[in-house]
Amino acid sequence: MTARHPPLLPQQIAPVDDRQSALTALHLGGDPAVLFGYFMDLREESDRALAGLPPAGGKPYPYGRCEEITRDLFARLSQRLAQPAGPVERALRAFVEGGGVLHSVWGVLRGQYFQNALQIGALYVDVSNDTVVVTKPKVEILPVAESGLVPVRDLDHFRQTAERYWGATLYANHLAPTLAPLLPVLSVSPGRLAPGLQSACDYMIALMCRDRFEQAERWLETGPAPPADLAGACLPAIPADLRPLTGQPRLEAVAACRRAREGACWADPDWRTARVLDYLRLMRGPGG
């Protein structure tokens, strides 16, 4: 009997089975320099479009911009494959039409940092390889098995990586309790303009929903509360309806997880969308 894998979360790297290996070899097994050159050309287009982004972590582009670069390049690639021109695009189109996996992925790379990349069947294609160490090549293509990219296992794994990669200090999100089931972590990182709620990426939101907010609740119940001076600086920027309603914000955040679980919100896409929209309002500030 074939073992059944749990459904993939958004942006989770897919297992490389015999079919993906065969499709990759059939359609993309030619000269690796040609595939590398194609993605370098796409990356140069993305660089021209994104070079005006403000510094991230106090450092100029491309540092810290793996998400933006990967998203922009993947959008360009998708448009190209709708009307392929040239041998690489025709090969990629045939690969996808044959059942090949081509999607963006996100995870922890080599135990050191968060990374966005592309998975093309049995290949890991990192089109933002220079966004941590800017002297590295812009593009790296490896077999998935050799890439070192792994999914975030749980909230502890996320927090450990955030502390290591961002140099972040992490607190429980007691500042916006209704968002806490999906965004249970408040991070403060050197060089970043403001503290942030973590993590609003599709993968982490789905991970919080998968165990019905259990690990989010544990962190909110036991994690360190934001210091009074940090809370005092952050709260005025949060829309009034998202702030704590009582003098016991920890209990409010924990209760929000329990209500969401009892209401089966983990399976309700409308509820998730509403919380994401609330988060975007928070990012715009109290008038948003």
Side-chain angles (χ1 to χ4, degrees):
M1 181 180 294
T2 303
R4 293 178 63 86
H5 296 284
L8 293 179
L9 299 182
Q11 291 192 286
Q12 183 174 348
I13 203 156
V16 178
D17 57 18
D18 291 344
R19 184 185 185 202
Q20 292 301 318
S21 296
L23 285 167
T24 305
L26 174 63
H27 296 288
L28 305 171
D31 185 353
V34 174
L35 191 64
F36 179 85
Y38 176 78
F39 279 102
M40 280 292 292
D41 289 343
L42 282 181
R43 171 60 196 272
E44 288 179 7
E45 292 182 18
S46 292
D47 284 343
R48 289 194 290 272
L50 301 176
L53 288 173
K59 299 180 181 181
Y61 180 89
Y63 181 85
R65 295 297 186 180
C66 66
E67 178 183 1
E68 292 87 349
I69 291 170
T70 305
R71 184 171 59 236
D72 181 88
L73 189 147
F74 186 55
R76 293 174 190 279
L77 178 62
S78 300
Q79 291 173 354
R80 297 283 185 84
L81 296 189
Q83 294 183 310
V88 173
E89 290 174 6
R90 287 193 292 270
L92 286 167
R93 174 70 175 265
F95 167 80
V96 172
E97 289 178 341
V101 168
L102 197 169
H103 66 163
S104 64
V105 293
W106 176 85
V108 176
L109 187 64
R110 299 161 196 153
Q112 297 178 13
Y113 40 81
F114 300 118
Q115 185 69 18
N116 292 267
L118 304 180
Q119 180 182 4
I120 306 178
L123 296 178
Y124 164 88
V125 181
D126 183 350
V127 297
S128 56
N129 189 48
D130 58 337
T131 55
V132 176
V133 180
V134 297
T135 55
K136 292 173 70 174
K138 292 175 181 289
V139 172
E140 181 178 56
I141 302 177
L142 293 170
V144 165
E146 298 175 15
S147 69
L149 185 74
V150 300
V152 173
R153 296 185 301 272
D154 50 33
L155 196 54
D156 286 343
H157 190 199
F158 175 87
R159 297 198 327 263
Q160 291 162 9
T161 307
E163 289 172 344
R164 183 183 305 115
Y165 177 28
W166 298 336
T169 302
L170 304 178
Y171 303 100
N173 171 18
H174 300 160
L175 302 184
T178 59
L179 301 185
L182 295 182
L183 302 169
V185 176
L186 176 70
S187 68
V188 181
S189 304
R192 293 177 183 263
L193 294 178
L197 296 183
Q198 305 298 338
S199 171
C201 72
D202 291 340
Y203 180 93
M204 288 302 297
I205 287 174
L207 187 65
M208 295 301 97
C209 290
R210 188 168 68 181
D211 73 351
R212 306 180 185 189
F213 318 114
E214 292 281 359
Q215 57 186 314
E217 181 181 333
R218 286 195 299 273
W219 170 248
L220 293 162
E221 193 166 28
T222 62
D229 59 341
L230 177 62
C234 291
L235 282 170
I238 297 175
D241 61 310
L242 301 180
R243 298 174 196 165
L245 300 175
T246 71
Q248 296 181 304
R250 184 186 296 271
L251 295 183
E252 288 189 50
V254 170
C257 290
R258 294 174 180 171
R259 284 195 306 272
R261 185 179 310 118
E262 291 164 2
C265 295
W266 48 272
D268 183 351
D270 292 336
W271 178 85
R272 292 198 299 274
T273 297
R275 299 293 75 72
V276 170
L277 292 173
D278 282 344
Y279 169 74
L280 295 175
R281 266 200 306 128
L282 181 150
M283 296 295 290
R284 291 194 295 267

